[in-house]
Amino acid sequence: MMFHVSEEHLMDYAAGTASEPVSLLVATHLALCPECRAKVADYERIGGAMLADSQPADLTDAALDAVLARLDEEPADLPAHKPAVRYDEQTRRVLPEPLRSYLGDNLGALPWRNVTRSLQEIELPIGDSGYRTRLLRIKAGQAMPEHTHGGSEMTLVLAGGFSDDTGHYGRGDVSIADDELVHTPVADAGEDCICLAVTDAPLKLTGPVGRIINLFMRY
């Protein structure tokens, strides 16, 4: 059984109302989940039919003038062109689009940061202040620190897998956690677990030692 993103997240994605971090996670999940792709296609067909049946809105007399004025504005500076990355086999296998383009380099060349002896991370510079978006790598057979959540956390498995009290998650699965869950994810043996995680509040380490570490570590 595959663990999917919620129907609400799929509908928000299809409608274009999901935040950029959530949209990135959902789009990456869709690349690995044919069933969810079919659902999004259904939602988009329904939305298209509703749009076709809707009545056009009246525009003010100034609407055309506003559009014409925009045409006279100076174009924004375009970002500098970057040479195309030649992705290696591991990167193409682990990172589906659009996540691969967001990261823009091979897995081995990315700036991994050590969080603990068993956990590394890369923070994605997505400009949505309400969320934190990270690529996580848990060493094979190792555990993350026991923790709970200040809000919600969506975690998409890209390679390997992990287990906690809620079940086992493998490639393509999405784990959804909230502030009621206290867990210790343990990576499967044999392969590092690589995940894309989106949180809307900091994680909180539990236990006496964890509460002390919380003062010095940013999750």
Side-chain angles (χ1 to χ4, degrees):
M1 179 186 71
M2 176 171 277
F3 294 92
H4 305 295
V5 296
S6 68
E7 294 286 340
E8 179 182 359
H9 285 125
L10 289 177
M11 289 189 287
D12 287 346
Y13 175 82
T17 57
S19 66
E20 184 179 359
V22 173
S23 292
L24 174 61
L25 188 143
V26 172
T28 306
H29 175 62
L30 293 179
L32 303 173
C33 180
E35 179 182 343
C36 291
R37 289 200 299 273
K39 287 184 179 181
V40 168
D42 288 341
Y43 294 144
E44 290 174 339
R45 281 192 289 268
I46 294 171
M50 293 175 63
L51 184 62
D53 292 340
S54 63
Q55 296 297 317
D58 293 330
L59 298 178
T60 66
D61 294 337
L64 178 59
D65 292 337
V67 172
L68 293 176
R70 292 287 301 275
L71 296 177
D72 294 331
E73 294 178 359
E74 292 293 328
D77 292 335
L78 297 176
H81 175 72
K82 294 182 179 180
V85 177
R86 297 188 63 179
Y87 294 106
D88 58 32
E89 182 179 351
Q90 182 197 27
T91 302
R92 286 185 279 107
R93 175 179 62 84
V94 173
L95 301 179
E97 290 290 5
L99 177 60
R100 191 188 306 152
S101 293
Y102 264 81
L103 292 167
D105 211 335
N106 287 299
L107 274 171
L110 293 173
W112 293 96
R113 183 181 76 88
N114 292 324
V115 180
T116 67
R117 287 183 296 178
S118 60
L119 175 65
Q120 295 178 307
E121 71 172 16
I122 297 168
E123 185 145 6
L124 278 66
I126 297 179
D128 193 316
S129 60
Y131 294 87
R132 190 176 181 207
T133 308
R134 295 172 296 158
L135 199 66
L136 304 178
R137 181 162 63 189
I138 312 170
K139 289 185 179 180
Q142 299 296 307
M144 287 186 65
E146 182 184 88
H147 64 275
T148 185
H149 310 81
S152 65
E153 177 186 50
M154 298 171 60
T155 304
L156 168 64
V157 179
L158 301 168
F162 72 86
S163 298
D164 64 11
D165 293 341
T166 64
H168 177 265
Y169 299 86
R171 178 170 167 82
D173 286 335
V174 177
S175 166
I176 300 178
D178 57 24
D179 57 1
E180 296 183 356
L181 177 67
V182 178
H183 63 158
T184 308
V186 180
D188 295 349
E191 182 180 7
D192 289 351
C193 179
I194 297 177
C195 304
L196 175 65
V198 173
T199 55
D200 61 11
L203 304 188
K204 298 178 181 178
L205 299 185
T206 55
V209 176
R211 284 193 288 270
I212 295 173
I213 295 176
N214 283 330
L215 300 174
F216 303 96
M217 299 187 69
R218 177 172 177 258
Y219 282 89

